[in-house]
Structures are given as C-alpha cells and as structure tokens.
C-alpha cells in the first residue's frame, strides 16, 4: 500500500501584533460565522422574515455559542482547574509560574456547551422578536454545520483534537505533537459536517418539509452528534480521566442530543404537518 502521509507542521499563529497573537483558529471561526450568516440571510428573504430580526440573530447566536462553549469546556473537561481559577473562565488569560498572567486567547471551547448556549440564546431571541421558537431552531440548523466545519478546520490548524495512530495512507503526522502517523480526526469531522449541510439544505430546497416544526433542528443535531460519537473512536481523549471510561465525555454528552433529535424527526414525519409562523 502506497502511503501519502502528510507532515502537518503549521504555526497556529498567523502573526503577533504588539504581543497579541492573530491565530488561524480565530480567523476560521470568523469565516465560518460570516458564511453561515450570508446563507442565513438568503433563507430569511425566502421565508419573508424581518431584516432587523436577522441582524439581531447574529448577536444572539455569537453570544450563545461563545458563552456556552466556554462554560462547557470549563465545566465538562477541566472543572478541577477552572474551579480554582475562576478569572480564567471569563478572560483570555492564563496564570504564569511567577504568579502573573499572560494573554493566550480562549484556548478551551466545547461544542456541546456551545450547542446548549445557542439553544438558550435562540429562545430569548424568539421571545424578543416574536418568531416561533421551533422555526428559529430550524433556521439556525440549516447553517449550523457550516460553522462546525470551519471550527474543525481551525482545530486542524492548531494540531489539536488529533486522532489515534494509524497506518492508513492518508494519515497526518502532527509534527508539533510527535512523529506518529495519525487519523486526521478533525478533517473527518469537517468533511462530515459539510456533507450534512449539503444534505439538509437540499431537503429544505425541495420544500417537502417546511420550517417551524423542528424537523431540521432534529435532523441536524442527530447527524452531527452521531458523527461525533463515531469519530471519537479514532480520536485521542482530550483529558486524562476519559482513559478509564468506556465512552469518553464527548460521546456521553452526544447521546442526549441524538435522543432529542430523533424525537423531532419522527414527530414531524409521523404527523406530516408543516408548521408555520
């Protein structure tokens, strides 16, 4: 078998401006949000929704994702550390050995927490702008996987969330970690999420199932977290305590989302109703 191992040795920093690092993670995160919002704007026009609501949705979505993702990481993956360093939950700093602090950016963001934060912020948005909550969830579901794709590409640029060792010909050697060929787990997830977007958006374009019943929300979270569970099997654990668990934290946290997602899928298909605002 011919091997095409890729030596991956990117510097996560694009530039450092007066001590503040400009990183690929932030750039790709922003790109994912911008593209998501452009697609969402087109959907808003198709659905004849208010432009003011669209602009506000961006703010609600960003805050919900970021706050939820940050709290999710601190609570689910490193509670022992952050419970003793509460300031680092809020600010993008880390304590140094001499007792001071240095700016490092927000190094820990958890997708499960981001999803919970987004769902909560969208509820507040729906109340404020008087748009049916399930319709708001469906709207975001149509574009959510675009952002998820770019986030996983950002993880790839950071050489984080790497896969287990493998002899597959497309393995990556993450030079900043070690010299072992590994599954590019971040790339697996990015490709999976892009495919999910194309499938779900195609279903929406056929107009067989309209927005507002939670079908798209259910379908997207089911597919996203199902892929998350599967890909975690070829990914190294993020924290040491997961080594003793039959399923890691990411897989365990994915199960409730899949159950909720399946409920919304079958609820809509069983009733065959199109919910409208």
């Amino acid at each position: 078998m011919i091997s095409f191992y890729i030596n991956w040795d990117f510097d996560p920093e694009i530039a450092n401006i007066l001590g503040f690092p400009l990183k690929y993670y932030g750039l790709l995160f922003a790109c994912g949000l911008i593209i998501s919002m452009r697609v969402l704007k087109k959907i808003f026009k198709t659905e004849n929704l208010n432009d003011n609501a669209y602009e506000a949705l961006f703010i609600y979505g960003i805050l919900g994702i970021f706050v939820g993702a940050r709290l999710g990481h601190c609570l689910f993956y490193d509670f022992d550390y952050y419970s003793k360093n509460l300031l680092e939950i809020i600010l993008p700093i880390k304590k140094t050995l001499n007792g001071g602090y240095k700016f490092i950016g927000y190094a820990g963001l958890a997708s499960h927490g981001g999803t919970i934060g987004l769902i909560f912020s969208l509820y507040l948005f729906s109340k404020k702008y008087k748009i049916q909550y399930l319709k708001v969830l469906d709207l975001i579901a149509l574009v959510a996987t675009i952002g998820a794709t770019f986030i996983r590409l950002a993880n790839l640029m950071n050489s984080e969330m790497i896969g287990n060792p493998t002899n597959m010909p497309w393995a990556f050697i993450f030079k900043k970690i070690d010299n072992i060929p590994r599954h590019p787990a971040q790339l697996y997830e990015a490709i999976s999420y892009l495919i999910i977007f194309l499938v779900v958006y195609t279903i929406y374009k056929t107009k067989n199932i309209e927005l507002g019943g939670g079908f798209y929300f259910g379908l997207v979270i089911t597919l996203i977290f199902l892929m998350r569970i599967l890909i975690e099997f070829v990914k190294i654990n993020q924290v040491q305590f997961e080594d003793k668990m039959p399923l890691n934290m990411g897989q365990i946290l994915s199960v409730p989302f899949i159950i909720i997602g399946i409920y919304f899928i079958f609820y809509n298909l069983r009733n065959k109703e199109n919910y409208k605002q």
Side-chain angles (χ1 to χ4, degrees), residues 164-222:
N164 294 326
T166 181
N167 59 1
M168 291 296 184
W170 57 79
F172 277 46
I173 299 175
F174 295 95
K175 303 294 288 186
K176 295 188 180 302
I177 307 298
D178 52 35
N179 291 309
I180 301 173
R182 296 178 177 275
H183 285 286
Q186 320 94 321
L187 197 55
Y188 295 167
E189 284 196 62
I191 294 171
S192 298
Y193 298 155
L194 180 59
I195 292 172
I196 293 171
F197 164 73
L198 295 174
V199 170
V200 174
Y201 193 72
T202 298
I203 295 173
Y204 166 71
K205 295 294 286 185
T206 65
K207 296 298 182 183
N208 288 328
I209 302 177
E210 294 185 11
L211 300 176
F215 172 81
Y216 294 100
F217 167 70
L219 182 59
V220 167
I221 65 170
T222 297

Side-chain angles (χ1 to χ4, degrees), residues 73 76-78 236-244 249:
H73 172 79
F76 298 143
Y77 290 98
D78 207 357
I236 66 170
N237 291 326
Q238 295 187 54
V239 286
Q240 189 174 2
F241 71 79
E242 294 178 308
D243 294 339
K244 299 178 181 179
M249 183 62 73

Side-chain angles (χ1 to χ4, degrees), residues 5-191:
Y5 295 162
I6 297 174
N7 288 291
W8 194 259
D9 194 22
F10 272 88
D11 188 337
E13 285 191 15
I14 303 172
N16 193 296
I17 303 173
L18 300 176
F20 291 92
L22 175 62
K23 297 184 177 182
Y24 283 105
Y25 191 101
L27 177 63
L28 287 167
F29 189 92
C31 286
L33 288 173
I34 291 170
I35 295 173
S36 298
M37 294 306 297
R38 286 189 176 275
V39 176
L40 187 59
K41 187 170 187 178
K42 182 178 179 180
I43 297 172
F44 258 66
K45 289 183 178 179
T46 301
E47 300 293 325
N48 295 315
L49 293 171
N50 190 298
D51 284 342
N52 292 332
Y54 162 78
E55 294 172 0
L57 183 57
F58 180 80
I59 304 299
Y60 277 82
I62 289 292
L63 290 176
I65 292 171
F66 178 74
V67 173
R70 184 60 179 163
L71 291 177
H73 172 79
C74 298
L75 294 175
F76 298 143
Y77 290 98
D78 207 357
F79 177 76
D80 185 60
Y81 175 81
Y82 285 103
S83 64
K84 300 180 180 66
N85 297 275
L86 298 178
L87 191 62
E88 294 182 30
I89 298 177
I90 304 170
L91 300 178
I93 57 175
K94 189 172 183 63
K95 186 179 294 184
T96 61
L97 294 176
N98 61 12
Y101 289 92
K102 67 176 181 178
F103 178 90
I104 62 166
Y106 289 102
L109 298 172
S111 58
H112 297 87
T115 303
I116 295 172
L118 178 61
I119 290 172
F120 178 72
S121 67
L122 293 181
Y123 174 76
L124 299 178
F125 170 85
S126 70
K127 292 297 183 183
K128 173 72 174 179
Y129 289 90
K130 296 180 173 54
I131 302 175
Q132 185 186 12
Y133 183 44
L134 286 178
K135 188 163 190 173
V136 176
L137 291 178
D138 278 346
L139 285 166
I140 292 298
L142 288 173
V143 300
T145 45
I146 298 175
T149 298
F150 277 85
I151 288 173
R152 286 299 175 252
L153 292 176
N155 295 138
L156 180 64
M157 297 304 294
N158 274 0
S159 295
E160 61 189 5
M161 301 181 70
I162 61 176
N164 294 326
T166 181
N167 59 1
M168 291 296 184
W170 57 79
F172 277 46
I173 299 175
F174 295 95
K175 303 294 288 186
K176 295 188 180 302
I177 307 298
D178 52 35
N179 291 309
I180 301 173
R182 296 178 177 275
H183 285 286
Q186 320 94 321
L187 197 55
Y188 295 167
E189 284 196 62
I191 294 171

